[in-house]
Amino acid sequence: MKPPVDASTNSDPWQLGGATFTSRLLIGTALYPSPAIMTASIRASGAEIVTVSLRRQGVNPEAGESFWRIISDLDVAVLPNTAGCHTAQEAITLAHMARELFHTNWIKLEVIGDPYNLQPDPFETVKAARVLIQDGFEVFPYTTDDLVVARQLVDAGCRILMPWGSPIGSGKGLMNRYNLMAIRNAFPDMPIIIDAGIGKPSHAALAMELGFDGVLLNSAVALAHDPEAMAQACALAVKAGRLGYRAGPMQERELAAPSTPTLGTPFWHQDPDAGERS
Amino acid sequence: MNQPTQHRTLSVRVNGHQHTLEAPVTLAQLIRQLKYDTRTGAVALNRTFVPADTYDRVWVHDGDDVEILSPMSGG
């Protein structure tokens, strides 16, 4: 049952991975023109959770420390990802490295099956999820909009689902509403976050209007002409969509139905002979 | 892990780069020699995670593949 709407306080907290959050917008830290723009955008988004990755330490090890210092100063929860992994074993290894480094048991599980559309490999994702959950991780599985895969992830122990809207970085929005709603309806009480493919605030608003619990985006903000403004727009979109969902939208109708009352309509519409008398 | 049989040198790949090191060498010694920073780095040896508190007990063998990863931006 939806909680009662209280737009005045805008209080709509949700539980995710054992913690309570107010913002339903999660945001990535990649692709920004500069660290300063990244910081400003994350602040403008109001996001309380950001995604990060692990990459090879380069010639300049201070780069990693510098990035970590910036993220720490934002005072947000960190969700490390296993981006770049193609097998369950790679993802499991990366997840353990992330846990040691970031001191969190949260892991955004990404196991990519195709380099063209970066589609998650469903088999390796489920395999990795099962092992990581047994190892004590809170798994945020990045998956497609396949209901059967979603069910297998839940059966493996996942308490959160993150189906794509469309391929990573494509900006195509929600490609398959039918499939996404099938997942939503199959798991009505599970936090489901639309992750990947969000390109505009309207995509984020739609995801929330459809009843999903959150949106994770990165390119939509980082690649915008004005990332900070776009971050704010996406934040407002998520709030608007969520409020619209909780307010209970009208039913869609096939036929038009006048919104202006028909009783007392002037001129000849009610008296077909009125035109002859005048 | 077992101390390797005596080799004069080891060929080890670290973060994709080939290195020749004098044997025997532990992970901790390898990290120091190559000047990596484990304050902001986590390590995998042959694609298996190695906890930080074991670096000085894990021996590196000829042909090993080491990954030292740090926090980075991500989506």
Side-chain angles (χ1 to χ4, degrees), chain A:
Chain A
M1 190 175 78
K2 293 182 217 174
V5 176
D6 183 354
S8 62
T9 64
N10 205 24
S11 172
D12 184 24
W14 62 316
Q15 303 290 316
L16 189 66
T20 301
F21 298 94
T22 303
S23 171
R24 291 172 179 268
L25 176 60
L26 293 71
I27 197 164
T29 55
L31 303 176
Y32 294 89
S34 71
I37 292 174
M38 178 193 75
T39 300
S41 300
I42 292 172
R43 289 197 202 284
S45 75
E48 297 165 300
I49 303 169
V50 302
T51 50
V52 296
S53 74
L54 281 175
R55 284 295 178 261
R56 284 173 169 172
Q57 196 175 97
V59 174
N60 178 16
E62 286 83 33
E65 189 173 356
S66 170
F67 171 76
W68 186 229
R69 200 176 310 121
I70 292 171
I71 297 300
S72 301
D73 287 346
L74 285 167
D75 195 25
V76 291
V78 168
L79 176 58
N81 69 30
T82 64
C85 293
H86 293 83
T87 67
Q89 184 55 48
E90 288 174 0
I92 291 164
T93 296
L94 203 60
H96 281 271
M97 297 170 81
R99 182 161 63 180
E100 180 177 270
L101 212 45
F102 295 111
H103 307 292
T104 177
N105 69 337
W106 283 14
I107 192 72
K108 178 184 166 184
L109 178 59
E110 287 184 51
V111 190
I112 299 305
D114 189 280
Y116 176 71
N117 66 359
L118 299 179
Q119 176 177 334
D121 182 316
F123 311 104
E124 294 294 295
T125 301
V126 173
K127 192 192 305 182
R130 193 170 287 118
V131 172
L132 289 173
I133 287 164
Q134 286 170 359
D135 288 350
F137 285 87
E138 183 76 70
V139 174
F140 293 60
Y142 170 55
T143 181
T144 61
D145 49 29
D146 188 310
L147 174 60
V148 173
V149 176
R151 193 174 298 284
Q152 292 198 6
L153 287 166
V154 172
D155 289 346
C158 289
R159 304 193 301 171
I160 299 160
L161 290 172
M162 299 219 296
W164 69 358
S166 50
I168 296 170
S170 69
K172 291 182 176 296
L174 307 189
M175 275 193 314
N176 195 323
R177 285 174 57 168
Y178 176 87
N179 279 10
L180 288 172
M181 289 310 297
I183 296 174
R184 174 74 282 176
N185 293 331
F187 306 105
D189 299 322
M190 176 164 293
I192 302 179
I193 299 166
I194 299 299
D195 174 23
I198 301 291
K200 304 178 201 176
S202 54
H203 298 159
L206 175 59
M208 300 308 293
E209 268 180 28
L210 292 175
F212 292 95
D213 298 285
V215 167
L216 171 52
L217 52 82
N218 192 154
S219 301
V221 167
L223 300 183
H225 291 283
D226 185 342
E228 189 177 350
M230 185 58 75
Q232 190 179 14
C234 288
L236 291 168
V238 166
K239 285 182 185 167
R242 176 67 181 172
L243 194 53
Y245 168 72
R246 292 175 65 204
M250 62 170 278
Q251 288 283 31
E252 194 173 307
R253 294 182 276 206
E254 287 301 313
L255 295 179
S259 43
T260 302
T262 55
L263 184 66
T265 303
F267 309 114
W268 58 86
H269 300 295
Q270 289 190 25
D271 182 357
D273 296 328
E276 289 184 27
R277 285 197 293 275
S278 65

